[in-house]
Amino acid sequence: MHDLKDLRTRPEYYKEKLSKRSKELISIIDEILTLDQKKREIQSKADEFRKRKNEIADEIGRSKDDKEKVNSLKSESANINATLSTVEKEEIDLTHTLSEKALWLPNIVTDSVPFGEDETKNQEISKWGNPKNEKWIKPHWEIGAKLGLLDFERGVKISQSRFTVLSGMGAKLERALMNFMLDHAGSKGYKEIFPPILVNKDSMTGTGQLPKFDGDFYKCENEFLYLVPTAEVPITNLHRDEVVLPEQLPLKYCAYTPCFRREAGAASKDTRGIIRQHQFNKIELVKITSAEQSDSEHEALTRDAEEILEKLEIPYRKILLCSGDIGFSAMKCYDLEVWFPSQNTYREISSCSNFGSFQARRINIKYKANPKDKPQFAHTINGSGLAIGRTLAAILENYQTEKGTILVPKILQNYLGEIKEII
RNA sequence: GGAGGUGUACCGAAGUGGUCGUAACGGGACUGACUCGAAAUCAGUUUGACGGGGAAACCUGUCACGUGAGUUCGAAUCUCACCACCUCCGCCA
């Protein structure tokens, strides 16, 4: 969400910046400006009526004994009420449509973000490791099923498609990854949180999942609760409507949660394997910082995520998303993509975004840079560190041996009782 | 799930239809005075959102007493619904 006052004072700036994402946004800005103008006019009008009403009420209180005066004042107030109720209705409607409209404006991207309409303009920042593509490497779903780590049929039987059972060493490997990643984040100073997995509508709206993407999530019947699509939702909402003090900055959190997504628009994508599931596990890294620190903290958070892949010794690359591919709320975003030999390509495993004050304004998180300063909106940053299911899939491929076993990455061995190979 | 109670500013806590109620009183924090300095004391300040005026420090209007609706000329105060917390009973990992 943007600052409407600022938008009002320099609309051309917003038009120029937002047109980098999409030209259509210019007309939305114009609509917002018109609505805003109308709303302020109506508000002034309503304020005048309310002011007079307050005066009358005061006057009645002071001149209770003068029956005649009281009666005439009462009828004046009744008249005002008649008009005021329609004006107020209009005021409420306008305020509502205005804020609704304002929620559809995406964030402005920073200048370092390359311009482009789709993912072809994304910029590769760096590559790490030596990708292999030996012909004998089987896709993770084949080797996973063969070794009894992934049970697709039973996942479908007990739930539906895009649900998978992890079994035996598969389950243990998932748990090892979870612990390893949380320990890694802990060593980088992130405070570990285990949040509720069902969250209310306010939380979903706060981090921007609602109202725009309603339908992408699982909702409880007869309860106003949603299954979290990412730990970003409960973690960022920890500080909703709060002012963070200088000595607390930057706040750094990590959390494991399962994540639930309907994947409604992905009907034919990634139907095989565990790349795209309705339920998956993820470690999320979240930071709340000052405006000054936000850029460097974003870089650092991305590095923290990268290091996980380096410790696991799996090849990956780092992509800077272009203006057309970047997420709605982000001002800058790096994707980490991990190498999948069987597909001969890199696949997304982490998305590290800086939201600037965009998300904090919506969710009302402020900070004081100094104890005496007026609170201002904080900057929020988050990224996966990492998606666990996709990491497991990447291990099944990158650590596959020609004889059909899986070597356990060194860093994970002491999480798996020193087992070095899955047979 | 049943019965009762509570929800007021940074914290505690008064106020049960108007009459200096942005809201007493106490505490905390901040500013100033006294002091060589500090403590104590005294004086003052201490919410946010959305508008209007101004270059600006500032002036000014409306709204907000858990949330939302209602009654009334007028609501922290009365009515209804919802939410949260506390106590007791029931149930339960």
Side-chain angles (χ1 to χ4, degrees):
Chain A
M1 197 164 71
H2 292 288
D3 180 5
L4 272 182
K5 277 184 231 167
D6 193 43
L7 179 71
R8 193 189 298 149
T9 36
R10 44 176 192 151
E12 295 312 317
Y13 170 82
Y14 281 84
K15 284 185 187 175
E16 188 215 318
K17 294 291 183 186
L18 285 175
S19 62
K20 283 190 181 169
R21 281 184 182 257
S22 157
K23 295 264 181 284
E24 293 153 33
L25 294 170
I26 294 179
S27 65
I28 296 188
I29 294 178
D30 283 326
E31 276 178 65
I32 289 173
L33 289 171
T34 316
L35 276 169
D36 176 58
Q37 173 75 27
K38 263 195 219 157
K39 187 227 135 194
R40 281 181 295 139
E41 280 166 19
I42 288 289
Q43 186 187 340
S44 301
K45 211 165 143 189
D47 277 357
E48 285 304 311
F49 283 129
R50 281 189 285 254
K51 187 184 174 190
R52 181 62 195 143
K53 250 184 78 170
N54 289 341
E55 286 167 1
I56 291 172
D58 267 5
E59 237 173 306
I60 292 179
R62 264 183 314 233
S63 42
K64 259 189 192 152
D65 303 329
D66 189 342
K67 282 243 169 65
E68 211 171 299
K69 192 173 173 190
V70 167
N71 280 335
S72 92
L73 284 170
K74 275 193 185 182
S75 71
E76 188 188 345
S77 194
N79 282 336
I80 291 175
N81 274 337
T83 10
L84 181 60
S85 66
T86 59
V87 175
E88 270 184 337
K89 193 177 176 302
E90 204 178 340
E91 187 189 14
I92 290 165
D93 285 353
L94 276 169
T95 309
H96 192 78
T97 28
L98 179 62
S99 49
E100 186 97 323
K101 258 284 186 282
L103 291 181
W104 287 80
L105 279 187
N107 203 354
I108 289 174
V109 300
T110 52
D111 293 334
S112 55
V113 169
F115 175 75
E117 290 190 351
D118 53 37
E119 72 273 6
T120 56
K121 297 292 191 303
N122 291 344
Q123 216 173 74
E124 185 179 292
I125 300 291
S126 62
K127 269 188 187 175
W128 188 94
N130 302 309
K132 25 176 158 172
N133 57 355
E134 280 84 343
K135 286 280 177 300
W136 48 260
I137 297 180
K138 295 188 174 72
H140 71 269
W141 57 85
E142 274 185 40
I143 189 75
K146 193 167 163 242
L147 293 176
L149 312 177
L150 305 175
D151 188 338
F152 295 102
E153 288 80 5
R154 289 194 175 107
V156 172
K157 175 164 70 179
I158 60 179
S159 297
Q160 63 172 79
S161 73
R162 294 197 192 278
F163 285 90
T164 303
V165 174
L166 291 168
S167 187
M169 283 308 292
K172 284 185 191 297
L173 189 53
E174 182 93 353
R175 181 158 58 90
L177 282 168
M178 186 193 298
N179 283 328
F180 157 62
M181 290 180 193
L182 282 171
D183 288 348
H184 172 76
S187 77
K188 297 284 174 181
Y190 294 82
K191 185 177 189 177
E192 187 169 333
I193 302 287
F194 203 124
I197 309 302
L198 286 166
V199 297
N200 61 32
K201 205 171 172 174
D202 282 348
S203 297
M204 291 287 275
T205 309
T207 30
Q209 279 72 21
L210 295 177
K212 196 175 172 190
F213 303 105
D214 199 12
D216 290 359
F217 315 114
Y218 289 98
K219 186 162 42 170
C220 294
E221 213 178 340
N222 303 327
E223 301 269 357
F224 302 102
L225 294 171
Y226 294 78
L227 280 165
V228 295
T230 160
E232 170 195 352
V233 178
I235 301 306
T236 312
N237 274 283
L238 286 175
H239 292 282
R240 167 150 47 98
D241 294 318
E242 288 184 14
V243 177
V244 182
L245 301 172
E247 62 269 23
Q248 299 176 280
L249 289 168
L251 287 163
K252 296 167 73 174
Y253 293 112
C254 64
Y256 154 76
T257 66
C259 303
F260 301 88
R261 300 183 183 176
R262 300 183 66 94
E263 298 293 347
S268 60
K269 276 190 201 162
D270 302 313
T271 48
R272 307 206 66 182
I274 56 170
I275 296 292
R276 195 175 296 275
Q277 300 275 287
H278 288 309
Q279 175 185 336
F280 62 97
N281 294 314
K282 182 159 65 69
I283 308 297
E284 186 74 3
L285 307 173
V286 175
K287 287 185 182 180
I288 297 172
T289 78
S290 65
E292 294 72 33
Q293 293 171 305
S294 107
D295 198 51
S296 61
E297 290 293 345
H298 178 221
E299 296 295 327
L301 181 139
T302 310
R303 274 303 301 156
D304 293 336
E306 286 174 59
E307 273 184 31
I308 298 171
L309 289 166
E310 290 171 17
K311 282 186 178 173
L312 287 168
E313 300 180 78
I314 305 174
Y316 73 93
R317 63 175 186 171
K318 181 179 179 180
I319 300 288
L320 177 60
L321 296 190
C322 77
S323 60
D325 200 29
I326 191 172
F328 181 84
S329 307
M331 58 189 269
K332 185 174 183 179
C333 177
Y334 294 109
D335 270 7
L336 301 184
E337 298 184 336
V338 74
W339 178 250
F340 274 87
S342 77
Q343 301 181 14
N344 201 34
T345 187
Y346 289 96
R347 300 295 309 264
E348 180 186 336
I349 200 163
S350 172
S351 193
C352 301
S353 308
N354 187 349
F355 302 103
S357 61
F358 189 85
Q359 195 174 48
R361 184 169 289 112
R362 185 189 260 239
I363 205 174
N364 192 24
I365 302 176
K366 293 184 175 173
Y367 75 99
K368 293 185 185 184
N370 294 295
K372 286 187 193 173
D373 287 358
K374 262 201 117 173
Q376 54 179 310
F377 288 113
H379 282 212
T380 56
I381 297 162
N382 71 45
S384 348
L386 304 165
I388 296 172
R390 288 186 181 183
T391 309
L392 186 139
I395 289 172
L396 295 190
E397 299 202 3
N398 287 282
Y399 277 87
Q400 213 177 111
T401 65
E402 193 163 4
K403 54 179 179 172
T405 63
I406 308 292
L407 298 175
V408 174
K410 273 196 209 79
I411 193 87
L412 292 180
Q413 287 174 5
N414 65 11
Y415 288 92
L416 282 170
E418 302 304 335
I419 289 172
K420 292 188 170 53
E421 189 172 9
I422 300 170
I423 306 167

